[in-house]
Amino acid sequence: MNVAVIGSGGREHAIVKMLADSKAADNIIAIPGNAGMNDICEVMYRVDPNDFDAVAGICIERQIDWVIIGPPEPLEKGLADFLIDEYGLTVFGPRKHEAQIETSKIFTKQLLNKYNIPTADYKIFTNYNEAKNYLTESEYPIVIKHDGLGDNTKVVVAQSQDEAYEALDYIAQFKGEDTPKIEPIIIEEYLDGEEFSLMVLVNEDVFHPFEIIAQDHKSAYKRGVGPNTDGMGAYAPITHLDDSVRQEAIDTLVKPTVDAMVKEGMKYFGVLFLGAMHTKDGVKVLEYNARFGDPEAQVLMSMLENDFLNMLEKLKRKESFEMKWKKGFMAGAVLATKDYPYKENVGLELDFPESLKEYMYISGLSQKEDGSYISSKGRVLMVCNHGNTIEEALNKVNKHMKQIKYNDGDFYYREDIGHRALNSSKEKGEQ
């Protein structure tokens, strides 16, 4: 079978690597792909994934059997709808309406509330003054979120009223105009507990949750310090959370959500990524995403031993299947440019030994004509490795990260990925 993977990040790099190991995959095309995919698939650098006609033209010309959409932006814009409705292609990734589970936090909150699925209490605001008055009367910490699709800097956990006011101005992009009207934002209660990620493969009323859960690290710096990012690293499995927690998430969150979508007439086909919090009152939904998580995908897919394409074929036919996982632990750390997430600093030079490519997933790395590498996004690459223990996996990752050469201060990474696994009794819930 011929497969097209839409996207250019580390998540898509992980998908391409899995497909390269699939006996069912004859040809793999990445649109637009990245510098790390050159040796495992055909990369269409010059094709804009938002140019639906160009994407469709390639898929028809290359007789693509499967289109796998990696990032959320094409889902929000309706790429799946276009390829399915206009050309009858098989697309793994939900249609625009179904993708609202990620692209609109208000849509998701209202769905969860309608079907009594546990999540944080919240209020919606479209008026700046009303939002600020609410924050004046609130208890802290509190969470402020942008409604639509955006990076994790648009989600702020405010520890104080002053922080909340600052976050409100930033997220609402309020500039003091005469009218207080703002784009919708959500202010919700802070959930205290242990956060985890669960990936679920869904085809309408049929779903298959991953048998292991992962944990990412959103804060820019060690031990939960610094702004939220799109992820500075991850590890799996989480052994300090009993499997009963995963099962509770499936029974009380995932299954009711899948059932709710069916009752609402949604025909979801793709990944449903649950971000959940294990609290003293049970598990609750933090968010849903309509695609594989990044950086969780790089870690989880490194552990999955199934033929990925065969698995998707069975999901399409609504057949049951078993997932097989490597024993031990997988961990990964992200290398980011200085000032990320506030600034991306494109064009910073770095170098690494050829042997390191086996463990790397590229997110924002470009190759110049002379073969040297420069940053092209804030998150540049992720290094993952496996170990019989979490300590072994983490030590390998940190050793690899030290092999990457760059000017002091140009890049940074977190050396404490997995610290909750190592010290869970002392640091529960710290991100």
Side-chain angles (χ1 to χ4, degrees):
M1 288 183 282
N2 301 323
V3 189
V5 177
I6 310 299
S8 61
R11 167 185 45 235
E12 291 74 47
H13 194 174
I15 293 170
V16 166
K17 277 191 175 184
M18 280 206 71
L19 290 170
D21 292 332
S22 170
K23 294 179 180 178
D26 298 311
N27 298 293
I28 308 165
I29 298 172
I31 305 173
N34 65 42
M37 302 180 189
N38 286 324
D39 55 348
I40 51 177
C41 74
E42 185 177 356
V43 179
M44 299 286 190
Y45 284 122
R46 292 181 174 83
V47 179
D48 183 350
N50 294 314
D51 186 340
F52 290 5
D53 288 321
V55 172
I58 292 170
C59 291
I60 297 303
E61 180 185 346
R62 301 301 181 89
Q63 298 181 318
I64 295 297
D65 300 290
W66 276 92
V67 180
I68 300 173
I69 301 177
E73 292 83 3
L75 298 174
E76 182 184 40
K77 294 176 180 177
L79 178 58
D81 306 65
F82 182 78
L83 297 178
I84 295 167
D85 295 339
E86 298 295 327
Y87 297 96
L89 293 167
T90 299
V91 179
F92 186 67
R95 290 172 176 267
K96 182 176 182 177
H97 178 65
E98 283 73 22
Q100 286 181 100
I101 200 79
E102 174 173 5
T103 62
S104 172
K105 293 177 179 65
I106 292 174
F107 174 89
T108 302
K109 282 290 192 180
Q110 291 174 338
L111 180 74
L112 297 177
N113 271 12
K114 181 176 180 179
Y115 291 92
N116 298 312
I117 300 167
T119 187
D121 291 337
Y122 71 100
K123 287 187 177 295
I124 301 167
F125 295 92
T126 57
N127 181 288
Y128 177 86
N129 294 333
E130 291 177 4
K132 190 165 185 177
N133 289 339
Y134 181 78
L135 291 172
T136 302
E137 301 167 358
S138 296
E139 294 182 359
Y140 291 86
I142 201 166
V143 183
I144 306 170
K145 297 180 176 180
H146 171 67
D147 171 50
L149 192 62
D151 60 44
N152 279 319
T153 64
K154 295 295 182 71
V155 177
V156 176
V157 179
Q159 301 292 335
S160 67
Q161 193 173 96
D162 287 342
E163 284 186 21
Y165 290 161
E166 185 179 346
L168 175 63
D169 288 351
Y170 169 66
I171 293 173
Q173 296 293 299
F174 187 70
K175 298 180 175 62
E177 292 92 343
D178 293 334
T179 173
K181 184 176 176 59
I182 56 175
E183 292 295 318
I185 65 165
I186 291 177
I187 300 177
E188 68 178 32
E189 76 170 308
Y190 172 77
L191 296 180
D192 188 23
E194 184 98 15
E195 186 175 346
F196 63 91
S197 303
L198 175 63
M199 307 294 166
V200 186
L201 305 180
V202 180
N203 183 0
E204 298 183 4
D205 59 332
V206 172
F207 67 95
H208 190 116
F210 280 23
E211 286 79 5
I212 60 176
I213 55 178
Q215 199 163 55
D216 78 335
H217 295 62
K218 291 187 176 67
S219 297
Y221 314 122
K222 283 185 178 182
R223 300 300 197 269
V225 175
N228 259 359
T229 71
D230 284 329
M232 293 300 297
Y235 69 97
I238 309 175
T239 54
H240 60 277
L241 287 182
D242 190 271
D243 191 62
S244 63
V245 175
R246 184 187 73 92
Q247 193 59 52
E248 182 185 354
I250 295 168
D251 295 339
T252 65
L253 306 181
V254 174
K255 187 179 187 306
T257 300
V258 171
D259 291 344
M261 290 193 295
V262 172
K263 289 175 183 175
E264 293 294 316
M266 300 167 68
K267 298 182 181 295
Y268 199 101
F269 184 53
V271 179
L272 186 65
F273 164 23
L274 167 67
M277 185 72 80
H278 178 227
T279 76
K280 61 181 178 58
D281 300 317
V283 294
K284 296 186 179 184
V285 176
L286 284 176
E287 65 177 0
Y288 276 117
N289 290 324
R291 37 73 190 181
F292 286 113
D294 182 344
E296 295 96 332
Q298 293 89 308
V299 168
L300 291 168
M301 290 186 175
S302 298
M303 296 190 75
L304 187 60
E305 295 185 325
N306 293 66
D307 185 307
F308 186 53
L309 204 50
N310 282 342
M311 213 164 57
L312 292 188
E313 282 284 318
K314 289 184 178 181
L315 180 69
K316 179 185 175 183
R317 297 191 296 266
K318 296 188 176 182
E319 297 175 0
S320 62
F321 54 88
E322 179 184 354
M323 287 185 172
K324 298 178 181 179
W325 301 92
K326 289 180 183 176
K327 294 181 180 180
F329 295 81
M330 190 71 67
V334 170
L335 185 74
T337 61
K338 61 182 180 181
D339 303 323
Y340 172 78
Y342 297 121
K343 186 179 178 182
E344 294 202 322
N345 285 301
V346 173
L348 300 179
E349 296 183 354
L350 69 161
D351 194 20
F352 44 83
E354 191 75 16
S355 59
L356 199 58
K357 287 185 177 180
E358 177 184 351
Y359 308 100
M360 286 172 48
Y361 294 93
I362 303 304
S363 297
L365 190 67
S366 295
Q367 195 166 17
K368 298 166 67 174
E369 289 185 5
D370 63 3
S372 62
Y373 292 99
I374 56 172
S375 62
S376 59
K377 293 180 182 177
R379 290 196 305 167
V380 179
L381 58 87
M382 183 177 181
V383 173
C384 295
N385 212 324
H386 178 267
N388 293 321
T389 64
I390 185 65
E391 291 92 342
E392 182 184 350
L394 294 169
N395 286 338
K396 287 180 179 178
V397 169
N398 287 325
K399 182 179 178 181
H400 288 326
M401 293 298 272
K402 288 177 172 57
Q403 293 179 275
I404 304 173
K405 306 299 181 185
Y406 47 83
N407 291 330
D408 287 346
D410 278 358
F411 299 88
Y412 76 95
Y413 64 94
R414 284 182 60 167
E415 296 185 57
D416 68 330
I417 301 302
H419 66 85
R420 292 186 297 281
L422 298 173
N423 306 290
S424 60
S425 63
K426 296 180 181 178
E427 299 175 351
K428 275 222 165 179
E430 189 175 50
Q431 282 282 30

